[in-house]
Amino acid sequence: MSTFTNAMRYVGDLDDEFYDDERQRDVWNEASAIGFQIFVWASLIAGAVLPWVAGRTGSWMTVGLLVVYLTGAFSVMAYARSRGVDMYTTQKLGRPRIYAAAGLYLIGACGAIGTLVVGQIGNRPYFAVSMLAGGVLGLAGAVVGVSRKQRLEHKAKAHAEQAELAELQKEG
């Protein structure tokens, strides 16, 4: 196992004897998934609200929440990928809950940026429009990149399956 996988196993305490019982492990994993989702949604909602209700202080809290949120989310995805499960290829990303999470994230990030960056530069509409345009272009680039990656991985998987079928037919 890689150093990353070992570190994540240690953080998750996955070698504890508690996990020896299959039912306990399944129930605990489900409960952990629920807890993670509660953390995700609470972080995103708080991050979306704080800049608007608590100004500059709330914006700094939002930055902290979003950094912790991203660290947790990327750690979960990286661990799953290290174990052979890639979320981007195994599930449909165009779901209402994904859009809602992305919307809350953007509301919080834009609120924090607006308060911390644009508020410091002054009332310069061209700067705000430039930031908005950059954000939209960056988001569009991310969507195109993820879609392309999914398409290429599906194509590679189909090619591998065809090669395997051809090999089986040759043997049979």
Side-chain angles (χ1 to χ4, degrees):
M1 275 191 246
S2 72
T3 303
F4 173 77
T5 304
N6 285 334
M8 292 298 103
R9 289 187 65 78
Y10 178 78
V11 168
D13 199 18
L14 300 182
D15 295 321
D16 190 276
E17 63 187 38
F18 174 83
Y19 289 106
D20 291 344
D21 181 277
E22 200 66 33
R23 182 179 182 285
Q24 281 182 180
R25 179 178 25 202
D26 286 344
V27 170
W28 185 257
N29 287 341
E30 288 175 2
S32 296
I34 292 167
F36 178 70
Q37 290 300 316
I38 288 171
F39 169 76
V40 164
W41 289 103
S43 297
L44 290 173
I45 291 167
V49 171
L50 281 168
W52 308 104
V53 298
R56 195 162 169 74
T57 302
S59 293
W60 282 115
M61 287 188 227
T62 292
V63 169
L65 279 170
L66 295 181
V67 166
V68 170
Y69 158 76
L70 287 175
T71 301
F74 286 136
S75 295
V76 166
M77 291 187 294
Y79 182 79
R81 195 172 22 254
S82 77
R83 306 285 295 166
V85 176
D86 189 351
M87 177 192 87
Y88 294 112
T89 60
T90 58
Q91 73 176 354
K92 183 179 171 189
L93 296 178
R95 301 179 322 190
R97 71 181 286 124
I98 301 291
Y99 294 132
L104 286 170
Y105 181 89
L106 289 173
I107 290 169
C110 289
I113 289 169
T115 303
L116 297 172
V117 177
V118 177
Q120 294 300 309
I121 294 173
N123 190 11
R124 298 184 184 152
Y126 63 88
F127 183 75
V129 169
S130 300
M131 286 183 61
L132 180 61
V136 168
L137 288 173
L139 181 61
V143 168
V144 168
V146 168
S147 297
R148 183 173 185 274
K149 180 181 180 195
Q150 284 180 321
R151 189 175 63 250
L152 291 173
E153 287 178 352
H154 284 294
K155 194 183 266 187
K157 187 175 180 182
H159 181 67
E161 288 174 359
Q162 286 177 341
E164 186 177 338
L165 278 173
E167 184 67 31
L168 288 173
Q169 287 174 349
K170 242 170 67 175
E171 290 175 3

